[in-house]
Amino acid sequence: MEMQEVPYLEMNHVRKSFGSLEVLRDISLTVQQGEVVSIIGPSGSGKSTLLRCATLLETMDEGTLSYLGKSAAIMENGCTVYAKPAELDEIKRSFGLVFQSFHLFPHYSVLKNLIDAPIHVQKRPKEEAVAEAMALLEQMGLADKADAYPHQLSGGQQQRVAIARALALKPEVLFFDEPTSALDPELTGEVLKVIKELAEAHMTMIIVTHEMEFARKVSDRILFMDKGYVVVEGTPETVFRSQNGRIQEFLGKLQQP
Amino acid sequence: MTFHVILTELLNGMLLTVGIFALTLLFSMPLGFLVSFGRMSKQPVIRLITQFYISVMRGTPLMLQLMVVYFLPWYLFKIPLSSFWRFPAIILGFTINYAAYFAEIYRSGIEAIPKGQYEAAKLLGYSRSQTFLRIILPQVCKIILPAATNEIITLVKDTSLAYTLSCIEMFSVAKQIAAAETSMVPFAVAALFYYIFNLLVSFVMNRIEKQMSYY
């Protein structure tokens, strides 16, 4: 007996413009449970905007969006119509986002950054939230930093705290928006290691990144975006061996010193 | 009049000074938040009205505003002015003036918070009020503390303007004694009192600032 799996994330025919600038032109993306999808492409290609639309930080002009079969946005008479705020709040619980510049809460300790939302948003018991937060910090190699404040940590440590903070809410899907772009190569390594471990644990992830080697190793699927379109989509092999001129140009430039 | 008597009289006047100071802070600081929200409102009408209110409060002398507040009931409704109205009028005048200044201080703090803090809070599921109370406000308090200290210190000295409405606070007492005794001593004592008052204010604000400097 075969069952049709419900995709964890489904976006169809997404369009988004800022004024006269078309940033996303008919993008569709479906992500299944446990899949790791990387989005690569030059700056201004719409990668981050796509992520921001998926995480409801931006509204789409056209297109649909759903998580685990629940619609966050549907098309009605050619326009995107979003679900009611209460439904969106419910849907929001199914995903988390890790930002390029961390956005930790500076006035909270590391531990408080991790437990505040579980306690005050998800109304979970404090002891449970603390225990889970400590386990996450252990996993991130930061157990000794629970009482530190974000400004006392390196960028790599801050980003790992930010990942732990997102995981503390137990999302089904985790988005990364250029998680290592603000870090030097050494710190980049420690953050990528954590993401790789999550991939091995079959966390469903969508990663916007400029780390090509990493994307190639960790992804099940890669989308190459340019000028608001998905130019090539497929396994890392397919994308990196693609004969498409735009990809070759992009990857070629990266390999030059 | 002995120095001791001058001191006692001025200390009596000081009670009113402290009263005006404390009540003004008590009312204007929360009201300032309301005004700053109006100033940042997405509704153009609310925003423009608040902007106008702030510009009038900042653009005209506080002394004049006190007189307007005091005499307005009579000019508008022919309500006879009574001595009972005097003190409330002073507090009202000070409050609406200081609320305008505090509003702009709050706005400077609120607008200094990076957009990312709001976005992170939104992604973590915080409601709008939770975001403001748990994430934004604590950070705003730290940012605005030096500016707020300035404003509070100014208020200590501005309380002397209450003499406009014949309120016998410390400075009025000093003037009366100085005139009666043809002596500058009461003014010197008054200056010392204001100075000590402000030293206290600075001390308290410094302590708060230190407490917030953990991040």
Side-chain angles (χ1 to χ4, degrees), chain A residues 139-155:
Chain A
Q139 187 186 335
M140 300 290 151
L142 293 169
D144 56 328
K145 300 292 184 194
D147 295 324
Y149 284 86
H151 75 98
Q152 296 167 319
L153 306 180
S154 73

Side-chain angles (χ1 to χ4, degrees), chain A residues 68-124:
Chain A
L68 300 124
K70 277 180 265 176
S71 285
I74 54 168
M75 284 293 275
E76 244 176 49
N77 307 321
C79 282
T80 294
V81 179
Y82 279 88
K84 293 190 195 83
E87 288 170 41
L88 286 180
D89 281 344
E90 185 61 31
I91 289 168
K92 264 189 215 158
R93 296 181 70 138
S94 48
F95 61 82
L97 170 61
V98 175
F99 298 86
Q100 177 178 347
S101 37
F102 332 133
H103 299 326
L104 293 174
F105 303 133
H107 58 303
Y108 283 168
S109 70
V110 166
L111 182 65
K112 184 111 163 107
N113 262 283
L114 264 60
I115 62 172
D116 197 64
I119 293 173
H120 294 283
V121 175
Q122 296 191 335
K123 311 288 179 203
R124 277 162 35 197

Side-chain angles (χ1 to χ4, degrees), chain A residues 52 55-57 92 95 97 99 103-108 112 116-117 120-121 123 149 151 165 169, chain B residues 114-127 130 133-136 138-139 213-215:
Chain A
R52 291 176 62 82
T55 52
L56 302 167
L57 287 176
K92 264 189 215 158
F95 61 82
L97 170 61
F99 298 86
H103 299 326
L104 293 174
F105 303 133
H107 58 303
Y108 283 168
K112 184 111 163 107
D116 197 64
H120 294 283
V121 175
K123 311 288 179 203
Y149 284 86
H151 75 98
R165 180 176 71 173
L169 289 171
Chain B
K115 211 172 117 224
Q117 292 287 306
Y118 290 94
E119 292 187 343
K122 192 175 176 191
L123 258 298
L124 293 169
Y126 289 92
S127 67
Q130 278 179 324
L133 293 174
R134 304 194 65 80
I135 310 300
I136 306 303
Q139 299 184 58
S213 64
Y214 64 87
Y215 75 91

